[in-house]
Amino acid sequence: MSNDQIMELKQRVALLEATLADVQQENDIWNRLFLEVNWGMVVVDAKSGKALKVNRSYAEMHGYSPLELIGKSVYGLVCAPGHKNDLLEVDAKIHNDDRYDYNSVHVKKDGSHFPVRINNHEVTVKSRRFRIISTWDITDSELKQRELSQYRESLEELIKFRADELERINEQLRSEIRQKKNAEHELARANQEMYDILESIGDCFKAVNRDWVITYANQVMVKAREDNGFDGNLVGADYWEAHKESNRRINEACLKVMNDGVPTRFETYAYTIGKWTEVSIYPTASGISIFLRNIEERRKMEKAIEDEHRRLYSLFNSFPGLIYLQEENHKIRYANHSFQAKFGSCIDKPCYEVIVGLPGPCHDCMSAVILKNLTPMWREMVSDSRIYEVYSQPFIDADGSRLVFKVLIDVTDRRNADRELARLERLNMVGEMAAGIAHEVRNPLTTVRGFLQLLQSKEETSAYHDYFQLMTDELDRANLILTDFLSLARDKSVEFEPINISNIVRTLAPLLNSDAFNQDKTIVLELEKVPDLLGNGNELRQLILNLARNGLEATPAGTTLTISSSIQEKCIVLKVRDQGRGVDPEILDRLGTPFLTTKESGTGLGLAICQSIAVRHKASINFDSQGTGTTVIVKFPIN
């Protein structure tokens, strides 16, 4: 072979190698696109349906790993029962144009179903048919479609209701017009009866036309004026001439009603009849009508009752407790300022609706027993997370109605203070124990551990290597407990600086995700933008790590731990929510107590340390466990 031929072959080889490298690079690009798109994609053998290539989105969408799906028929594995016939339609349609889109329902590994949108595209390579299947989870789309449909139905019902309502109102207006016409026919007959009534009543009455001429005055008015030295002959007289020495307020009110046509009522002293009167002035078609009712005796009684009520209400309203009067039918007749400030407008409303928001009386209501036995009772109740001491006393009102006088005294702060004092006393006791024994115990532990390591290194003790290692591990565990002791006992001042809770969680996320991945669990972060707070970064990291790892230990494999941050009620709120079995209600209120633990190898000091860190940051830790998981809620005040 000549040199030219050899050179030509080398050039061809170089060209082929370059072409192969380009092809491999393009394959890598297409392979990466296939694997990293955010919708599910799978390549199957068109004849057998077995998966040849599966991207991560498709596998995670169905709760599998890609390796679990490779080589298996995805149709039989993920297609939900009742939707198997979709495949027959796919086979028929896809042979016509090599592409077919449709909606179906798939089943996850855990058995749950979810709706999907599927795109099928079939290609043939070297006489072998492949099917490329793209899949989207359309759960949210279907929910929005159902909500839109429900909204349209509600709108149609509202339009029909409004139309029916307008028709009913029109019919009511027609009925009122008919009634008005009938009333007009009766008016003429009633006028004569009215004059007869006006002469028989005990109130003073007179009528004035628009020319200010008195057209009528009953005999009571005439006699009252004559008894007080005024002319009783009023009919036909000019109003202003006859009343030039009358009460100025009455004259001004008559002028205003004549001009404005708006009735008025007030109380004043009428000089012409020499009495305190209730004055009622009404516009009429021809002018005005004036009633003067003697209220001398009523005013005396009302004044005495008003003074008594003022003293009583002043006493009740100045009382810090919540006071109200309850009728036999549970309606509230009276409530002091403190009660209304707490529960809002409540008069004539049922107490069970106002206080506890129930549609009916409480199952343990004692009002009936109190009214029957006429004996006072005392009990405790909880409303809106507040604890009240309730004192109930039977009471008979002036009208003879039977009432229950109740006083609610809020003792929540006192109870919380008692619990907090007990908790602090326990922490103080642990702190004193830690300060007293931790350093003394560590010294001999260190010595023993050192000699164990020395013995372990000798050849003649190699047979006991496992025993030495076990003893060393137990000594290390004891040392760890002492370290936790010292954390509780630590009372040193820590340096605070502006720090962001959400940022701390994001910083710890890789470490927590690694722990969760090793345990086949997932961590979800729901972090809102929150302001900085004054705190110590190391202590807050320890707090978050302790709570998150406690949650991971309580969370079964395959479930999720959620960490969220938000702003609520002028506080920065950190929540760690697991999906475990929850906490026994009997120990829920005791969480955070030193040495209380539900773990086989726990020390019971982790949450106690978290409580200690929270106290130093003026924060509070609460627990909410409903049987389907536990949520730890940490509230930091916004500075």
Side-chain angles (χ1 to χ4, degrees):
M1 183 178 294
S2 65
N3 290 334
D4 292 340
Q5 290 177 329
I6 292 174
M7 289 298 296
E8 182 179 357
L9 287 176
K10 287 183 179 180
Q11 290 175 355
R12 288 184 180 181
V13 169
L15 179 62
L16 289 174
E17 287 178 347
T19 303
L20 179 61
D22 291 340
V23 170
Q24 288 177 343
Q25 185 177 9
E26 289 183 2
N27 286 340
D28 290 341
I29 293 173
W30 286 110
N31 188 55
R32 184 174 178 182
L33 289 174
F34 176 85
L35 293 176
E36 295 186 5
V37 292
N38 58 4
W39 64 85
M41 291 190 67
V42 59
V43 177
V44 302
D45 184 277
K47 183 176 181 180
S48 65
K50 290 184 179 180
L52 304 176
K53 195 173 188 62
V54 180
N55 74 349
R56 183 179 59 186
S57 297
Y58 187 90
E60 290 179 351
M61 183 186 304
H62 296 84
Y64 295 93
S65 67
L67 291 177
E68 290 181 285
L69 297 177
I70 298 296
K72 296 181 180 178
S73 174
V74 294
Y75 295 132
L77 192 62
V78 304
C79 192
H83 291 268
K84 301 292 186 179
N85 291 334
D86 294 346
L87 302 177
L88 300 178
E89 187 174 353
V90 172
D91 290 336
K93 296 283 186 178
I94 201 168
H95 283 302
N96 293 332
D97 55 7
D98 293 335
R99 187 182 301 274
Y100 180 58
D101 295 346
Y102 68 100
N103 289 351
S104 185
V105 176
H106 277 189
V107 60
K108 294 185 178 181
K109 184 178 180 179
D110 61 7
S112 60
H113 293 189
F114 64 101
V116 294
R117 177 68 178 175
I118 298 176
N119 172 272
N120 281 268
H121 179 63
E122 197 166 287
V123 297
T124 302
V125 179
K126 295 182 179 180
S127 301
R128 185 179 179 183
R129 291 189 299 118
F130 298 93
R131 188 169 297 171
I132 304 171
I133 304 173
S134 299
T135 306
W136 293 265
D137 186 337
I138 59 171
T139 303
D140 292 340
S141 300
E142 289 201 348
L143 287 175
K144 291 178 180 177
Q145 187 64 31
R146 285 197 294 269
E147 289 176 358
L148 179 60
S149 177
Q150 292 174 357
Y151 173 77
R152 288 175 176 169
E153 292 177 0
S154 300
L155 187 60
E156 292 174 357
E157 292 178 358
L158 179 61
I159 294 173
K160 184 178 182 303
F161 172 78
R162 291 301 186 192
D164 295 342
E165 184 71 9
L166 288 174
E167 179 62 27
R168 185 186 64 79
I169 293 173
N170 287 336
E171 180 58 33
Q172 183 177 352
L173 289 174
R174 288 193 290 269
S175 175
E176 290 177 354
I177 292 172
R178 290 193 295 268
Q179 293 175 3
K180 184 177 180 180
K181 290 182 179 179
N182 294 334
E184 290 175 351
H185 293 303
E186 296 291 328
L187 182 60
R189 183 178 61 82
N191 282 339
Q192 185 58 45
E193 294 180 358
M194 181 188 67
Y195 284 111
D196 295 339
I197 292 171
L198 291 175
E199 287 298 328
S200 64
I201 63 176
D203 300 332
C204 298
F205 173 79
K206 58 179 173 284
V208 182
N209 66 14
R210 295 194 176 276
D211 295 327
W212 293 101
V213 176
I214 300 174
T215 58
Y216 176 78
N218 67 354
Q219 289 302 311
V220 178
M221 172 67 80
V222 173
K223 187 175 184 307
R225 287 177 60 86
E226 290 175 346
D227 291 343
N228 285 275
F230 294 93
D231 186 2
N233 296 318
L234 293 175
V235 177
D238 179 78
Y239 175 86
W240 299 110
E241 183 65 25
H243 293 84
K244 58 185 176 181
E245 299 181 13
S246 183
N247 184 297
R248 180 179 177 182
R249 185 180 179 190
I250 296 177
N251 291 341
E252 291 177 349
C254 289
L255 182 62
K256 183 173 178 59
V257 174
M258 183 74 81
N259 293 334
D260 298 344
V262 179
T264 185
R265 177 179 294 177
F266 57 91
E267 295 179 2
T268 188
Y269 187 83
Y271 301 111
T272 55
I273 63 175
K275 305 288 184 186
W276 272 94
T277 59
E278 180 185 79
V279 182
S280 301
I281 307 173
Y282 302 93
T284 63
S286 58
I288 58 173
S289 58
I290 307 166
F291 287 87
L292 302 177
R293 172 171 293 176
N294 184 354
I295 59 171
E296 289 279 347
E297 293 299 323
R298 193 186 77 186
R299 278 181 60 84
K300 293 178 182 179
M301 293 179 61
E302 288 178 349
K303 182 65 168 58
I305 294 173
E306 183 180 350
D307 292 342
E308 187 66 26
H309 282 182
R310 187 180 296 109
R311 287 191 293 270
L312 184 62
Y313 290 161
S314 178
L315 174 64
F316 285 167
N317 289 328
S318 63
F319 187 71
L322 312 181
I323 299 176
Y324 71 98
L325 278 176
Q326 172 191 319
E327 300 176 357
E328 289 186 89
N329 60 1
H330 300 282
K331 286 188 177 180
I332 297 175
R333 179 174 293 189
Y334 164 80
N336 69 347
H337 289 171
S338 298
F339 188 93
Q340 295 192 55
K342 172 69 177 177
F343 298 108
S345 177
C346 58
I347 305 302
D348 292 331
K349 294 182 180 179
C351 61
Y352 49 79
E353 177 182 315
V354 172
I355 299 176
V356 292
L358 294 176
C362 304
H363 70 280
D364 56 350
C365 180
M366 302 301 294
S367 298
V369 177
I370 294 171
L371 291 173
K372 180 180 179 181
N373 299 332
L374 297 179
T375 55
M377 298 189 69
W378 175 94
R379 61 182 289 241
E380 282 191 357
M381 65 167 286
V382 178
S383 175
D384 193 22
S385 301
R386 306 295 293 179
I387 304 172
Y388 295 92
E389 289 182 349
V390 184
Y391 177 80
S392 303
Q393 171 74 42
F395 176 74
I396 306 298
D397 204 357
D399 60 2
S401 57
R402 290 150 52 89
L403 307 173
V404 179
F405 176 80
K406 292 191 175 184
V407 180
L408 284 70
I409 301 176
D410 191 339
V411 296
T412 308
D413 294 338
R414 188 179 74 193
R415 297 295 173 82
N416 290 339
D418 291 342
R419 285 196 294 267
E420 183 65 14
L421 179 61
R423 189 184 69 82
L424 291 176
E425 287 178 349
R426 290 194 298 268
L427 287 176
N428 185 56
M429 177 192 68
V430 174
E432 291 177 356
M433 291 174 58
I437 69 174
H439 290 291
E440 295 300 327
V441 173
R442 269 186 165 180
N443 291 333
L445 285 180
T446 302
T447 302
V448 173
R449 193 180 191 281
F451 279 108
L452 283 175
Q453 289 178 324
L454 179 61
L455 292 173
Q456 188 177 359
S457 63
K458 296 182 177 296
E459 294 183 3
E460 56 268 27
T461 60
S462 59
Y464 305 100
H465 177 82
D466 292 341
Y467 297 146
F468 288 138
Q469 186 61 45
L470 177 61
M471 287 186 285
T472 302
D473 292 343
E474 290 302 311
L475 287 175
D476 289 341
R477 173 172 164 75
N479 191 51
L480 178 62
I481 294 174
L482 290 176
T483 301
D484 289 344
F485 260 132
L486 290 177
S487 296
L488 286 175
R490 187 182 297 119
D491 194 20
K492 66 179 182 180
S493 60
V494 292
E495 294 183 359
F496 281 8
E497 59 183 1
I499 195 164
N500 192 281
I501 285 293
S502 295
N503 290 342
I504 292 178
V505 177
R506 292 189 185 97
T507 302
L508 296 174
L511 176 61
L512 296 175
N513 282 325
S514 176
D515 291 346
F517 180 78
N518 292 334
Q519 302 174 38
D520 191 20
K521 301 170 186 178
T522 304
I523 290 183
V524 174
L525 302 183
E526 298 176 354
L527 305 176
E528 298 181 5
K529 186 177 181 180
V530 298
D532 292 348
L533 57 87
L534 289 179
N536 182 271
N538 290 332
E539 289 197 341
L540 292 178
R541 289 185 184 90
Q542 182 181 4
L543 170 71
I544 295 170
L545 279 174
N546 283 358
L547 296 180
R549 283 172 172 166
N550 282 350
L552 284 175
E553 291 180 6
T555 300
T559 56
T560 300
L561 178 75
T562 303
I563 304 176
S564 64
S565 62
S566 61
I567 299 178
Q568 298 177 13
E569 300 176 353
K570 298 183 179 180
C571 290
I572 299 173
V573 179
L574 173 71
K575 293 184 179 180
V576 179
R577 183 172 68 253
D578 64 52
Q579 295 180 338
R581 295 178 300 175
V583 180
D584 190 338
E586 294 182 359
I587 66 171
L588 184 62
D589 292 338
R590 298 165 54 204
L591 287 178
T593 302
F595 308 116
L596 174 67
T597 180
T598 58
K599 306 175 187 176
E600 293 183 1
S601 60
T603 64
L605 296 176
L607 284 179
I609 293 172
C610 291
Q611 292 278 17
S612 178
I613 293 173
V615 169
R616 286 195 287 275
H617 288 76
K618 299 180 181 179
S620 64
I621 299 181
N622 296 297
F623 303 90
D624 182 14
S625 184
Q626 305 295 331
T628 57
T630 301
T631 301
V632 184
I633 306 167
V634 187
K635 291 186 178 180
F636 298 89
I638 296 178
N639 300 318

